[in-house]
């Protein structure tokens, strides 16, 4: 319809919506990477999560106390003030987790193994008894996991985190690219480029790419958030 005002207005809304989406995804990545509860991993790489007696997830900071960290002073010419004798990649050591768990008798461990309810068909992670939890923590746990990255995932299988970062990151990159394209088109509209050409066909071309990104998100959201 050659309506410059409406094209400008809706393109601006599209750009704002795209920026909100990309910002939300960055916020989600930040929280997924930092973690919310924390967990421990076994020698085989399996994740053990902590719950209360009713099965509700319990965060490490709720029962683990951080102990002293041994440090050695270094000379000024070594560039850093101190260096730990026992460096760890997480806030807590596995021994601190064991000590905190032993001091809270209401805590249990939930494994990645799924059990299927015979009546409803619903699946849920296996929650161990107190005795089983203590045995598994003391004999099989080897390290603490906080958050998620390409090698560890406190929420479950590391492979899920790999796919999550790859797929959502790949899609997020395309959304950001679409925002840039739409922004260029938006300024071209303001400058009257398409008015002089006598056609807004370029808006439609960029719109095809933008709606393709929309369509991909339907499948990403379905399989990574709903399923």
């Amino acid at each position: 319809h050659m309506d410059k005002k409406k094209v400008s207005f809706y393109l601006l809304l599209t750009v704002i919506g795209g920026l909100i989406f990309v910002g939300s995804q960055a916020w989600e990545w930040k929280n997924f990477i930092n973690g919310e509860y924390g967990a421990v991993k076994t020698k085989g790489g399996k994740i053990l999560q902590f719950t209360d007696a009713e099965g509700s997830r319990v965060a490490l900071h709720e029962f683990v106390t951080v102990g002293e960290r041994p440090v050695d002073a270094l000379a000024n010419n070594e560039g850093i003030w101190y260096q730990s004798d026992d460096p760890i990649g997480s806030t807590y050591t596995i021994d601190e987790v064991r000590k905190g768990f032993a001091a809270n008798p209401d805590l249990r461990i939930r494994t990645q193994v799924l059990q299927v309810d015979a009546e409803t068909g619903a699946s849920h992670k296996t929650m161990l008894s107190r005795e089983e939890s203590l045995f598994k923590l003391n004999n099989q746990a080897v390290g603490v996991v906080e958050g998620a990255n390409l090698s560890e995932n406190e929420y479950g299988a590391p492979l899920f985190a790999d796919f999550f970062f790859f797929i959502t990151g790949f899609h997020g990159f395309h959304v950001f690219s679409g925002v840039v394209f739409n922004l260029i088109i938006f300024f071209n509209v303001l400058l009257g480029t398409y008015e002089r050409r006598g056609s807004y066909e370029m808006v439609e071309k960029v719109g095809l790419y933008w709606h393709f990104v929309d369509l991909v998100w339907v499948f990403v959201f379905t399989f990574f958030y709903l399923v």
Side-chain angles (χ1 to χ4, degrees):
H1 295 116
M2 303 295 291
D3 192 332
K4 179 179 178 179
K5 287 186 177 179
K6 281 191 176 181
V7 173
S8 303
F9 176 71
Y10 287 116
L11 269 174
L12 180 61
L13 289 184
T14 302
V15 169
I16 293 173
L19 290 174
I20 291 174
F21 178 90
V22 173
S24 299
Q25 196 167 58
W27 175 84
E28 182 183 34
W29 269 43
K30 172 182 174 295
N31 286 280
F32 191 61
I33 291 171
N34 291 337
E36 183 178 1
Y37 296 99
V40 297
K41 61 182 178 180
T42 66
K43 298 175 183 177
K46 300 298 183 181
I47 295 298
L48 305 178
Q49 300 170 339
F50 298 98
T51 71
D52 57 22
E54 286 72 37
S56 299
R57 191 87 183 267
V58 177
L60 292 178
H61 66 81
E62 296 182 47
F63 67 92
V64 182
T65 302
V66 178
E68 294 184 0
R69 298 284 186 265
V71 296
D72 284 336
L74 298 179
N76 291 335
N77 62 357
E78 292 182 274
I80 56 177
W81 290 103
Y82 61 87
Q83 182 177 13
S84 173
D85 287 337
D86 182 27
I88 57 174
S90 58
T91 308
Y92 314 99
T93 67
I94 188 65
D95 289 333
E96 289 168 347
V97 174
R98 287 170 178 152
K99 183 178 179 181
F101 186 86
N104 291 267
D106 291 334
L107 295 180
R108 302 288 187 274
I109 279 180
R110 186 170 65 187
T111 71
Q112 289 180 245
V113 179
L114 295 178
Q115 290 185 336
V116 180
D117 191 297
E119 295 182 0
T120 63
S123 61
H124 57 86
K125 294 180 180 179
T126 303
M127 192 166 80
L128 305 179
S129 66
R130 176 66 180 179
E131 292 72 22
E132 292 172 328
S133 299
L134 285 169
F135 177 83
K136 208 165 191 67
L137 182 61
N138 292 327
N139 295 278
Q140 298 182 15
V142 295
V144 180
V145 178
E146 293 180 277
N149 51 49
L150 296 179
S151 60
E152 296 179 333
N153 177 17
E154 75 164 51
Y155 306 99
L159 188 60
F160 174 83
D162 294 344
F163 278 114
F164 177 83
F165 285 123
F166 175 74
I167 297 297
T168 60
F170 197 63
H171 178 263
F173 169 77
H174 282 82
V175 173
F176 179 76
S177 299
V179 170
V180 174
F181 295 152
N182 281 316
L183 200 56
I184 293 172
I185 298 299
F186 171 72
F187 284 116
N188 282 341
V189 171
L190 295 182
L191 293 172
T193 301
Y194 308 120
E195 288 285 334
R196 291 191 294 273
R197 291 182 185 176
S199 170
Y200 279 83
E201 185 179 4
M202 186 57 71
V203 178
E204 297 295 332
K205 290 179 178 178
V206 174
L208 288 175
Y209 171 83
W210 186 250
H211 290 305
F212 170 73
V213 175
D214 287 345
L215 181 63
V216 171
W217 177 247
V218 172
F219 293 97
V220 173
F221 185 77
T222 299
F223 289 103
F224 279 88
Y225 293 86
L226 299 182
V227 177

